[in-house]
């Protein structure tokens, strides 16, 4: 048998018609073991079956076989066998398995004796089946390797999300030497059609030259997460967006590897800006965040005091609770669980433990914003610049932090953007936040329809350049702005107050 694959049938002028038909089954569009066995049965005017070394039927129609002959063929003692009785002729042929450690048996039964033509058809079909089985096993092995590599990338990302950079580097070193040999990185999130995500993943790997951590987002089917330490990846990913209409790209500012979760939140936030930009790509703007407008020493001291109840925990437990709570405040418990690779009940249990230790209530949106502020600041506590037990700023309370002139100016400018809208978006937004971001409860307060509340909140997003519907740092900044200008009441916090541990303090 000889032939050549082209745009049409495989043709060999010297081959019989059956050989050309059999060769056609080797074409990429026709490689199916079951179709070959069915073709064999039809071509020899009989019945055919293929079973593996365990007796499992792989293709064809099961038929009664002499188990001793089958055992001899599978063991390699004989390569083929033939039997005949009244009205039936049977041939058995060994079919090598790709791993060479096992084999299958191809059996063909027909009413008439096997002549030279049918014998050749059987022999050549066995060889074609071996090729197809080898190709199928190679494809399956490739898929298993691809899946394992994808799972490994996700595991590395999850380690980075909980600030375990040492383990993340150790895992990455085996397959991607040098990938995380840096202290800082940027995170990008590519958003596109969920059905096209596999193709987008491959394009991201190609665009970054396999020098980035490319992960299928476990929480959002439309997202691909890219962690890159190089400078050129951003432009490469932007060109990918240009080639794929309907895709969006959000990028973070450069962050330390320990703040990968923060960078991820920034990249997701940047997607909201990318939606309204002509090039459909945006990088998180280094705007004036509330914590940057507060007295640094006072903020660090207040943060250390607020989170002090967690200091009694073992280091790994404390880090796990802090990382989980940060993600849980940024996203839903379900999304945070998928990103971390744990159950949503685990996320909720960890956050409830933090609630208990801090003696506060995360159902209050203002409390969530304040705790998020502390958790965002907590990373800087490792620099050793705080002095929570010293004098002066160490006694600062939240009310003092929110009363700073720089923060007040920022808050008034931010919320003032809403004043030009005749729909009074500012009033709706304030009521919606006070209602815990619940449109129905806010609608009752405002005596309007819940859909009106949702439309007003969505209309405020491009004006404030922040995502509001989805919980996260953007929303918490707006909440802090309302607290700073006095349009929301300061929440009650139970925290370690200087001189009065665990005492209730109304901030």
């Amino acid at each position: 048998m000889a032939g050549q694959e082209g745009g049409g049938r495989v043709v060999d002028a010297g081959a019989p018609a059956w050989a050309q038909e059999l060769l056609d089954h080797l074409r990429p569009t026709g490689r199916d073991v079951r179709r070959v066995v069915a073709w064999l049965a039809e071509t020899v005017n009989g019945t055919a079956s293929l079973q593996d070394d365990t007796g499992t039927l792989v293709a064809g129609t099961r038929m009664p076989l002499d188990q001793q002959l089958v055992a001899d063929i599978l063991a390699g003692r004989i390569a083929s066998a033939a039997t005949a009785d009244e009205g039936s002729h049977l041939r058995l042929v060994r079919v090598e398995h790709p791993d060479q450690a096992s084999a299958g048996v191809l059996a063909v039964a027909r009413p008439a004796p096997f002549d030279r033509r049918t014998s050749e058809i059987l022999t050549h079909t066995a060889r074609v089946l071996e090729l197809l089985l080898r190709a199928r096993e190679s494809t399956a092995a490739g898929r298993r390797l691809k899946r394992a590599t994808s799972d490994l990338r996700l595991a590395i990302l999850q380690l980075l999300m909980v600030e375990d950079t040492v383990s993340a580097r150790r895992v990455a070193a085996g397959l991607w030497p040098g990938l995380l040999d840096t202290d800082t990185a940027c995170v990008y999130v590519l958003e596109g059609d969920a059905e096209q995500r596999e193709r987008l993943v491959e394009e991201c790997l190609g665009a970054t030259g396999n020098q980035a951590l490319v992960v299928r987002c476990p929480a959002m089917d439309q997202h691909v997460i890219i962690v890159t330490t190089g400078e050129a990846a951003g432009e490469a990913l932007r060109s990918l967006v240009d080639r794929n209409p309907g895709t969006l790209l959000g990028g973070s500012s450069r962050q330390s590897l320990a703040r990968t979760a923060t960078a991820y939140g920034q990249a997701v936030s940047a997607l909201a800006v990318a939606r309204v930009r002509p090039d459909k790509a945006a990088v998180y703007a280094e705007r004036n965040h509330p914590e940057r407008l507060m007295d640094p020493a006072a903020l660090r001291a207040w943060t250390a005091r607020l989170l002090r109840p967690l200091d009694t925990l073992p280091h790994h437990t404390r880090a796990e609770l802090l990382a989980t709570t940060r993600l849980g405040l940024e996203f839903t418990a379900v999304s945070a669980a998928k990103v971390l690779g744990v159950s949503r009940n685990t996320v909720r249990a960890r956050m409830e433990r933090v609630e208990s230790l801090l003696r506060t209530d995360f159902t209050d949106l203002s409390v969530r914003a304040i705790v998020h502020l502390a958790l965002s600041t907590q990373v800087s506590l490792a620099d050793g610049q705080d002095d929570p037990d010293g004098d002066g700023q160490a006694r600062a309370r939240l009310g003092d932090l929110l009363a700073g002139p720089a923060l007040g100016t920022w808050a008034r400018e931010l919320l003032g953007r809403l004043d030009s809208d005749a729909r009074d978006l500012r009033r709706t937004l304030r009521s919606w936040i006070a209602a815990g971001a619940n449109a129905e409860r806010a609608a009752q307060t405002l005596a309007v329809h819940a859909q009106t509340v949702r439309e007003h909140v969505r209309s405020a997003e491009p004006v404030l350049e922040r995502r509001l519907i989805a919980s996260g740092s953007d929303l918490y900044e707006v909440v802090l702005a309302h607290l700073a200008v006095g349009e929301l009441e300061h929440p009650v916090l139970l925290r370690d107050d200087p001189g009065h541990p665990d005492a209730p303090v109304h901030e």
Side-chain angles (χ1 to χ4, degrees):
M1 296 171 61
Q4 180 179 352
E5 290 191 15
R9 289 172 59 87
V10 179
V11 177
D12 183 344
W18 65 263
Q20 296 178 14
E21 293 175 5
L22 183 55
L23 282 171
D24 274 347
H25 286 286
L26 290 174
R27 294 172 59 191
T29 57
R31 294 174 182 174
D32 189 321
V33 169
R34 289 171 298 182
R35 288 175 57 187
V36 172
V37 173
W39 172 87
L40 173 62
E42 180 181 1
T43 303
V44 301
N45 298 316
T47 304
S49 71
L50 175 65
Q51 67 179 45
D52 62 19
D53 57 340
T54 67
T56 301
L57 185 67
V58 177
T61 305
R62 186 176 292 279
M63 61 184 74
L65 301 175
D66 185 320
Q67 294 305 308
Q68 184 57 53
L69 284 177
V70 171
D72 288 341
I73 291 175
L74 292 175
R77 289 187 286 271
I78 56 176
S80 62
T83 64
D85 55 25
E86 186 176 351
S88 178
H89 298 265
L90 178 68
R91 289 283 182 91
L92 305 176
V93 179
R94 178 184 174 90
V95 175
E96 297 289 349
H97 194 272
D99 62 13
Q100 300 298 318
S102 61
V105 174
L106 176 63
V108 178
R110 63 192 301 263
F114 282 82
D115 54 18
R116 179 177 178 179
R117 173 181 176 275
T118 52
S119 296
E120 287 184 352
I121 292 174
L122 175 57
T123 300
H124 287 300
T125 301
R127 302 293 82 79
V128 167
L129 288 172
E130 289 177 351
L131 291 173
L132 293 180
L133 290 172
R134 188 174 295 114
R136 186 168 72 175
E137 179 60 27
S138 177
T139 301
R143 283 197 297 265
R144 289 194 295 270
L145 179 59
K146 188 175 181 180
R147 188 180 307 115
T149 304
S150 176
D151 291 344
L152 189 58
R153 289 193 185 101
L154 175 59
I156 295 170
L157 176 66
Q158 290 168 341
L159 288 170
L160 292 174
M161 287 290 193
V162 295
E163 303 178 19
D164 192 351
T165 57
V166 174
S167 297
R169 286 190 177 104
R170 186 178 298 122
V171 174
L175 286 180
W176 303 283
L179 178 63
L180 299 180
D181 289 350
T182 181
D183 294 327
T184 62
C186 292
V187 175
Y188 291 89
V189 175
L190 181 70
E191 180 177 299
D193 187 344
E195 295 181 356
Q196 298 295 319
R197 184 162 70 163
E198 292 305 312
R199 179 180 59 79
L200 291 175
V201 167
E202 295 302 321
E203 288 198 35
C204 287
L205 288 170
T208 58
N210 288 310
Q211 294 302 306
L213 186 66
V214 180
V215 180
R216 296 164 182 81
C217 179
M220 299 291 292
D221 291 341
Q222 306 97 316
H223 287 182
V224 179
I225 303 171
I226 305 101
V227 181
T228 176
T229 58
E231 299 291 342
E235 288 303 317
L237 292 171
R238 285 175 183 270
S239 66
L240 190 153
V241 172
D242 293 338
R243 297 194 305 270
N244 290 272
T247 57
L248 303 170
L249 181 67
S252 74
S253 60
R254 184 162 287 275
Q255 299 283 349
S256 68
L257 284 180
R259 300 197 69 179
T260 298
T262 298
Y264 171 57
Q266 291 182 349
V268 173
S269 178
L271 283 175
V273 180
R275 294 182 198 283
V276 298
R277 291 191 54 168
D279 59 356
K280 301 303 179 183
V283 173
Y284 189 76
E286 281 296 339
R287 58 199 182 209
N288 284 329
H289 301 293
E291 61 269 24
R292 297 185 179 182
L293 302 174
M294 299 177 184
D295 183 279
L299 178 60
R300 287 195 297 268
W302 171 81
T303 297
R305 192 168 64 248
L306 180 70
L307 300 180
R308 186 177 297 161
L310 280 74
D311 293 343
T312 60
L313 302 173
H315 175 74
H316 72 280
T317 302
R318 181 178 185 275
E320 185 177 69
L321 291 180
L322 288 174
T324 301
T325 304
R326 269 196 293 270
L327 278 177
L329 292 176
E330 283 283 351
F331 309 100
T332 65
V334 174
S335 295
K338 290 179 178 178
V339 170
L340 292 172
V342 298
S343 72
R344 60 185 178 183
N345 289 335
T346 298
V347 170
R348 290 184 178 125
R350 291 175 182 174
M351 294 184 69
E352 287 171 1
R353 187 174 181 186
V354 172
E355 277 184 297
S356 176
L357 288 168
L358 300 184
R359 298 192 178 185
T360 191
D361 181 7
F362 284 164
T363 61
D364 186 321
L365 186 54
S366 294
V367 169
R368 290 171 69 91
I370 290 168
V371 174
H372 183 270
L373 170 66
L375 293 176
S376 298
T377 307
Q378 183 270 338
V379 176
S380 68
L381 295 179
D383 62 12
Q385 297 178 21
D386 59 293
D387 184 18
D389 294 321
D391 296 328
Q393 300 292 3
R395 302 185 65 85
R397 298 170 60 176
L398 179 64
D400 302 323
L401 297 175
L402 294 177
L407 185 67
T409 300
W410 165 81
R412 286 188 292 272
E413 185 280 326
L414 178 66
L415 299 180
R417 301 178 193 176
L418 300 172
D419 292 340
S420 60
D421 196 297
R423 294 172 294 177
D424 202 351
L425 299 183
R426 186 164 177 171
R427 174 172 175 262
T428 302
L429 183 58
R430 179 173 63 250
S431 300
W432 178 73
I433 292 174
N438 185 289
E440 285 73 16
R441 291 205 300 268
Q444 291 176 358
T445 302
L446 297 169
V448 298
H449 196 279
Q451 186 59 32
T452 300
V453 174
R454 296 187 185 95
E455 290 175 357
H456 284 195
V457 174
R458 289 194 183 94
S459 297
E461 288 186 325
V463 177
L464 298 176
E465 296 182 339
R466 285 162 174 81
R467 295 184 313 140
L468 302 175
I469 297 297
S471 182
S473 56
D474 282 3
L475 173 59
Y476 298 142
E477 285 189 5
V478 176
V479 173
L480 290 175
H482 281 85
L483 292 172
V485 299
E487 294 189 12
L488 287 176
E489 291 187 7
H490 292 187
V492 173
L493 295 179
L494 292 174
R495 61 173 173 81
D496 283 348
D497 198 32
H500 299 282
D502 302 325
V505 177
H506 189 281
E507 296 285 6

